[in-house]
DNA sequence: TTGTAGGCGTTATCAC
DNA sequence: GTGATAACGCCTACAA
């Protein structure tokens, strides 16, 4: 840090100072520089030499060349993250968490967005593989054999691959329990059209709570498609009095549909979402939803991946807890 | 592509096939392999040899080692993108656009999220520099000298650095013109607390349209802080009849504040946002806002950066057009 | 038309 | 304690 408090500018540093330059300046050999800076000289290098090397490196603004290091060590110190949709704030938070874990360990994150087109997913992993990442964080799909590198799967739990999931089972139970407590018996479900274990669990729990399969509709992760699906539900001869949605985005679609049909939330229809996206609080009425710590999901997964890259053992499966956040979109149902 | 239509699995490919392996199998020298696969053998390599090399590479599942290539060529074929906040859908879209451009050119994108803490920005660029990216896409701040690599600035226009901006001037003019047309004279402005050229322009236009400086308040990019700022405005002795917000997120805060004070939108207060985030349509009433193509912003910037990396000339400054989207949050003001 | 050789900047194994 | 030296895998003169 610069005396003035800002990051020390290294503008004057030659863009390509090598360890040889440092060695020359410190009056030692290049291998000594490597030894000192990698910390592997502990106890073998004299304090005076070490000091000289460090100062020379500092003065020259030396930065090790990652390509050379990667070539030599076979590790790029970067991990790949494949997200279904960067546009969804949840994944932004996941990325942020993963990034924090990775940075702490000196790793960088390469992000690939699949734009909800899962046929790209395998190709994307290929792209990252080509970029020589040391491991992958991947949503739902494992594609592990072809990765040829450690993988941690998020929101899915294929056998033999470590995974981190949010507790969708408990989340769904909380949501539906809440709805039933408030007297709702005709439950609807706007489900994700994307097939994934986490959504399968929600559908399963929905039925376990007495949800009628005929009141389940699937929608893509857009407001418009969710609205279309919700309209189907609202236009039934006996529409549901409460709707559980696999995501707040889908719940937003239900709001759109309700507005279109003049159905009042929560007086005529209760709505419960999942994920607690920021905008849920701004909806009118504010959306009741299931919250979890998306950054923790990313951070946990990244940490797990780093242990796998290090060849250390770790848990097969970690679970991020959920919480019910009751807001204004769920009301008591009478009669 | 596999006969069955899916991506050909390369599971059985040895994770580290080198060009030497390919050469051995094809019965040629390693340099011939390099020549063929880089396409620089055009016309110099016989068709038979070329065919043999390509088949051998295919059969072995050969993938060039990027670290070695980067070391040799001095270019990593990757660009760095520093975004203020991955959690904001706008930046997700920008990233998506940038990614698409980069991928088309065979580049990968390294993303760093600064979590709206701009003191990190320089450090982040450092991190990317360490990761040996060939160039940077950076929001607002240039930090160009220390980059030591080409930079394209988004949403800012420092001298001497190519930049891509959205047409904030026209956007603000459209928004305020619309408000004035509807009879509003007491205009409020919930401005971004983050200092940036794009926001300076909006403030300048606000005043040019007769906006009163005393009806300007600044807020961080969160619903809560925007709500706090909006309350300040609503609690004035003579509150504004219409509020222009530097972002839809801030507009969301105005909705919260209005709800808290029992102020009806648009009857008592008109609100206009900026950015056309997805959730703007779901608000009640749907938010009038300024829209632009965020993916185009990212794609344009990435393309410009790639030309800069290639050492080719390009425009100093490109502008992404904006559009007014009138929805239900702005109404006629009588009297 | 193809092969040989040198080196990109590191790390790591040895000698000294 | 420190310094030669040999890879890592690829690209590219230049030689054949």
């Amino acid at each position: 840090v610069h005396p003035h408090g800002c990051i020390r500018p290294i503008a004057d540093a030659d863009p390509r100072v090598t360890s040889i330059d440092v060695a020359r300046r410190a009056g030692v050999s290049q291998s000594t520089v490597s030894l000192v800076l990698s910390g592997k000289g502990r106890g073998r290098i004299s304090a005076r030499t070490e000091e000289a090397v460090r100062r020379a490196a500092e003065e020259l603004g030396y930065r090790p060349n990652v390509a050379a290091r990667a070539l030599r060590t076979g590790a790029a110190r970067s991990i790949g993250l494949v997200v279904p949709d960067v546009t969804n704030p949840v994944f932004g938070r996941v990325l942020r968490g993963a990034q924090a874990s990775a940075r702490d360990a000196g790793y960088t994150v390469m992000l690939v967005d699949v734009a909800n087109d899962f046929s790209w997913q395998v190709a994307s992993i290929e792209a990252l593989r080509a970029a020589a990442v040391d491991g992958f964080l991947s949503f739902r799909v494992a594609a592990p054999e072809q990765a040829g590198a450690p993988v941690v799967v998020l929101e899915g739990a294929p056998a033999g691959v470590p995974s981190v999931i949010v507790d969708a089972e408990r989340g769904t139970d909380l949501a539906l329990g809440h709805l039933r407590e408030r007297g709702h018996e005709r439950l609807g479900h706007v489900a994700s059209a994307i097939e994934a274990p986490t959504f399968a669990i929600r559908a399963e729990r929905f039925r376990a709570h007495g949800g009628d399969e005929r009141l389940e509709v699937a929608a893509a992760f857009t407001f418009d498609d969710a609205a279309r699906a919700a309209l189907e539900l609202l236009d039934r001869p006996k529409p549901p009095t409460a709707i559980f949605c696999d995501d707040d985005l889908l719940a937003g679609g239900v709001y759109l549909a309700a507005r279109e049909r003049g159905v009042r939330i929560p007086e005529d229809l209760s709505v419960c979402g999942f994920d607690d996206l920021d905008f849920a609080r701004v909806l009118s009425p504010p959306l009741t939803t299931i919250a979890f710590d998306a950054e923790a999901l990313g951070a946990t997964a990244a940490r797990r991946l780093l242990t796998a890259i290090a060849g250390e053992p770790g848990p097969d499966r970690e679970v991020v807890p959920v919480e019910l956040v009751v807001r204004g979109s769920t009301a008591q149902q009478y009669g």
Side-chain angles (χ1 to χ4, degrees), chain A residues 8-335:
Chain A
R8 182 177 43 78
I10 54 162
D12 46 0
D14 185 316
R16 22 187 104 179
V17 199
T18 76
S19 54
I20 295 187
D21 300 323
V22 176
R24 215 172 349 241
R25 179 164 186 127
V28 298
S29 80
Q30 185 274 335
S31 46
T32 301
V33 172
S34 183
L35 236 35
V36 169
L37 297 182
S38 70
K40 300 204 172 167
R42 273 277 158 275
R44 322 205 277 134
I45 303 281
S46 72
R48 259 210 11 268
T49 306
E50 166 147 6
E51 170 57 17
V53 168
R54 289 202 187 283
R55 213 191 24 249
E58 173 87 353
E59 286 166 1
L60 261 32
Y62 168 69
R63 315 201 58 102
N65 178 317
V66 288
R69 173 178 290 172
L71 176 58
R72 176 61 230 227
T73 63
R77 294 193 79 76
S78 80
I79 63 177
L81 171 59
V82 183
V83 300
D85 178 9
V86 263
T87 265
N88 184 324
V90 169
F91 297 118
R93 276 148 65 189
V94 170
L95 168 67
R96 184 173 284 176
Q99 192 128 231
S101 287
R103 185 181 38 223
D104 291 347
Y107 276 69
T108 50
V109 177
M110 306 230 41
L111 179 74
V112 172
D113 169 50
V114 170
N116 272 329
D117 179 349
F118 284 86
S119 60
W120 286 13
Q121 188 140 357
V122 175
S124 303
I125 288 186
E126 269 310 289
L128 285 174
R129 222 172 88 85
V133 298
D134 300 324
F136 298 94
L137 256 25
S138 170
F139 273 82
R140 300 168 202 160
V141 176
E145 330 78 43
Q146 51 235 68
V151 177
V152 172
V153 171
L154 290 86
E155 286 290 62
V161 181
S163 56
V164 183
I165 59 171
V166 332
D167 197 344
E169 178 167 347
R170 180 162 160 74
T172 311
D173 286 349
L174 284 172
L176 297 175
H178 169 67
L179 259 16
R180 299 215 78 113
E181 259 174 30
R182 302 234 160 159
H184 293 277
E185 311 230 311
R186 284 188 69 74
L187 266 27
H189 183 197
V190 175
S192 160
I194 293 171
E195 288 185 34
T198 185
F199 299 127
I201 289 170
R202 301 174 201 202
E204 185 268 315
R205 295 315 298 158
F206 175 75
R207 288 163 206 166
H209 278 264
D212 187 334
E213 217 171 313
R214 286 164 300 181
L215 290 178
E216 283 195 291
V217 291
F221 269 69
T222 68
F223 289 128
D224 286 327
D225 200 51
R228 174 204 54 71
L231 283 177
E232 270 185 43
L233 244 31
L234 297 182
D235 291 342
R236 297 282 168 86
K238 291 192 67 180
T241 64
I243 295 182
F244 167 64
C245 303
D246 277 356
D247 187 271
D248 289 354
L249 234 51
L250 303 178
V254 175
Y255 274 59
L256 249 25
R259 188 188 297 159
E260 190 166 332
R261 284 294 180 267
V263 170
R264 295 165 306 165
I265 301 172
E267 294 83 352
D268 307 327
L269 178 71
S270 285
V271 181
C272 181
F274 207 112
D275 282 0
D276 194 22
L277 301 185
D278 272 344
F279 78 82
R281 295 164 40 219
V282 187
L283 293 180
S284 173
L287 179 65
T288 294
T289 189
I290 303 296
F292 66 91
D293 187 343
E295 299 194 24
L297 174 62
T300 304
R303 271 196 302 269
R304 179 67 186 86
L305 179 60
L306 291 173
T307 66
I309 289 173
E312 290 161 18
D316 280 352
R317 194 154 176 278
E318 291 171 272
V319 176
V320 174
V322 297
E323 186 183 1
L324 172 69
V325 179
V326 178
R327 298 203 183 95
S329 67
T330 44
Q332 188 71 34
Q333 167 74 10
Y334 300 102

